Amino acid sequence: MTASRTARERVRAELTREIADIARRQLATEGAGGLSLRAVAREMGMVSSAIYRYFPSRDDLLTTLIIDGYNALGEAVEQADAACASGDYPGRWLAVCHGVREWALAHPHEYALLYGSPVPGYQAPQDTVAARLRDVTVLGLIVSQAHAAGAVTPPALAPAPPAPLREDAERVRGLMPGVPDDVVFRCLTAWTALYGWVSFELFGQFANTIEDRHTAFDHAMRLMGQTIGLR
Amino acid sequence: MTASRTARERVRAELTREIADIARRQLATEGAGGLSLRAVAREMGMVSSAIYRYFPSRDDLLTTLIIDGYNALGEAVEQADAACASGDYPGRWLAVCHGVREWALAHPHEYALLYGSPVPGYQAPQDTVAARLRDVTVLGLIVSQAHAAGAVTPPALAPAPPAPLREDAERVRGLMPGVPDDVVFRCLTAWTALYGWVSFELFGQFANTIEDRHTAFDHAMRLMGQTIGLR
DNA sequence: AGAAAACGAGAGCACTGCTCTTGACGAATG
DNA sequence: CATTCGTCAAGAGCAGTGCTCTCGTTTTCT
C-alpha cells in the first residue's frame, strides 16, 4: 500500500527523499540559514522552481528536517538507554546524557536547528511536537521506573515546589507517571542542565575554558543524576 | 578628547551609534537573520552603500550588537547582585538568575544572538570574549566570597571531580579564586542549568507544559543554589 | 591655498525565495 | 486505441539581499 503504487508515486517519494538528504548535507556544511533551495536544485540537476513541486516552501523543507532530526535524536537516546541494564537507573540516566551529547556533536547543525535559536520567520507547526517529545519520553520512563522500584531518594534539604506549580507538575507527570512533584522539578532542572551544557559546548561558550569536555560532561551529569536522586 | 574633535568626527560617531540603534530595533522585530543593511540604510534615508563607510561588513555590525548585548546583560546582572545584602549568598545567586532571565525576556532576540545558535558564516572575533565574561564574573565573585566566608557546604554524596579535570578547574578558578575543584564544577553545572532553562523558555521548549514560568524558574534555581552548596 | 582624506550617491554583480506560464509526459477513462 | 486530465521540469521574471566600484562633492590637514 504505502510501499509502492504507481511508478509516478514511487519516483516522487524517491525524489522527495533525495531533496531532504541533500538539504541535510547542506545544513551540515552551511548551517541553518545557509540552506538554499536553489543550491539543492543545482546539486540535483533540477531547475529551482521544480523543487516547489515537492516542498511548497523553504519552511516546509525545514519542517521535514526538524522532524527527522527529533526522530534521529530520539532514536539515538532510545538505543543508548536500551544498552543498559534496566535496573541501573543512574547508569541509564548517564547513558541518555551521553547519547544526547554524542548525537549533538555528530550533527551540530541539526542540533542547532532543534535546540538553538528559532530560525527567523519560521514558525514550527504542530507536526513537530510529537517527534520533539521522543527523547524526553525516555528520560521520563527511566525516572518513573526508578521511582516505582523505590530507587529515587531526594537529596537532603531539597526544597518542596510551591503550590502554584502543581498544575505544571501534573502536565509533566504525563511523561513520568507516579513521580511526586519535587522529583518532577528536579528532573526538569536536570533536563535543562543537560541541554544547557550541550548547547554551551556546541555554541562555543566553553572555548579556552573546558578542554576535557567528555570527562567534565560525565562528571556534571553524574552530579545531576544525584540531584534527581537516582540510585 | 574622545568627546569631540572635529565636526566630522562628531557626526560620524553619532551616525555610527544611530546605525547600531536602528539595527538593534530591527533585530528586535525581525530576528538575527532578518537584519538587513539595506533596510537600516532606508530607515536612515541613506543609500545602502553609504553604510559601509561606518561598518565594513554585516558581520562587523553584528559584532557591535553582540558586544553591546553582553555588556547590557552583564550590567543587568551586576545591578541585580548589587541590590542584595552582600552576605546573603543564596539570595544573591537567585537574584543573578532572575536578572539573567528578565533581561532575556526583555530582549529575546539579543539573547538569542548571544546564547542561541551561532549566526551561519559568522565567526565571533576576539573582541567579544572580554564582554562575554561579565555576567559569569558576577557569579564567580558570589561563590568565591561565599566560600571565603565559609558559606559553601557541599551536599552529601557529591561526587569528586576526576583527576583529568584539574586543569579545567584551574582555568575556571580564575573567576572564583580559592574555590575547590568540586565546587567549581557544581557551579559550572548550575550555570548550564540557568542558561539552559532560559533558553528552553525563550526558544519555545516549555510550550504547553510549564505555564507558571516565573515560579518554576525560581524553584529550579533555588534547587541549583542548594546543589552548589550556598547557604 | 592646495593636497588629502572622507563622504553620499548611484550603478552593478551575484545571489536568494518565490510566482507564473508554457509545453511535454504519463496514467486512468471513454 | 484515443482522449482527457493531472503532474511535471523548465524558463522568465519580481523583489529583495550583501557587497564593490566609481564619481563628484565636501571637509580636514598641511
Side-chain angles (χ1 to χ4, degrees), chain B residues 5-8 35-38 42 49 52 57-58:
Chain B
R5 274 180 38 87
T6 74
R8 191 164 238 168
L35 202 163
S36 152
L37 288 188
R38 287 178 121 106
R42 254 194 312 273
S49 57
Y52 289 85
S57 81
R58 187 176 176 273

Side-chain angles (χ1 to χ4, degrees), chain A residues 3 19 34 50 65 84 88 107 112 115-116 136 146 166 180 212 216 218 224:
Chain A
I19 291 175
L65 295 183
C84 298
D88 177 14
H107 310 86
Y115 288 101
V136 73
R166 302 203 54 157
D212 189 350
D218 188 86
M224 289 316 293

Side-chain angles (χ1 to χ4, degrees), chain B residues 78-231:
Chain B
E78 286 167 9
Q79 288 181 1
D81 180 41
C84 297
S86 65
D88 177 14
Y89 305 108
R92 288 171 69 186
W93 156 252
L94 209 57
V96 162
C97 292
H98 282 289
V100 170
R101 176 173 177 267
E102 273 152 31
W103 187 88
L105 289 178
H107 311 86
H109 288 101
E110 276 186 89
Y111 177 86
L113 200 59
L114 305 182
Y115 288 101
S117 17
V119 178
Y122 172 78
Q123 185 71 312
Q126 281 298 320
D127 317 19
T128 61
V129 299
R132 183 171 62 180
L133 294 178
R134 218 171 137 174
D135 57 346
V136 73
T137 298
V138 175
L139 170 56
L141 198 69
I142 295 173
V143 177
S144 183
Q145 293 178 356
H147 179 262
V152 178
T153 312
L157 298 177
L165 294 180
R166 302 202 56 157
E167 285 182 29
D168 288 346
E170 191 56 41
R171 264 186 294 269
V172 179
R173 200 170 5 251
L175 291 170
M176 39 181 83
V179 172
D181 283 12
D182 82 308
V183 179
V184 164
F185 277 99
R186 282 186 271 136
C187 281
L188 217 51
T189 310
W191 185 47
T192 64
L194 162 57
Y195 281 94
W197 185 290
V198 172
S199 295
F200 268 16
E201 181 172 348
L202 231 64
F203 299 161
Q205 229 76 25
F206 283 160
N208 306 323
T209 309
I210 307 297
E211 296 299 338
D212 190 351
R213 294 179 185 173
H214 176 87
T215 308
F217 176 76
D218 188 86
H219 177 65
M221 291 306 111
R222 278 179 200 276
L223 184 62
M224 289 316 294
Q226 285 229 342
T227 301
I228 296 177
L230 293 176
R231 64 176 169 85

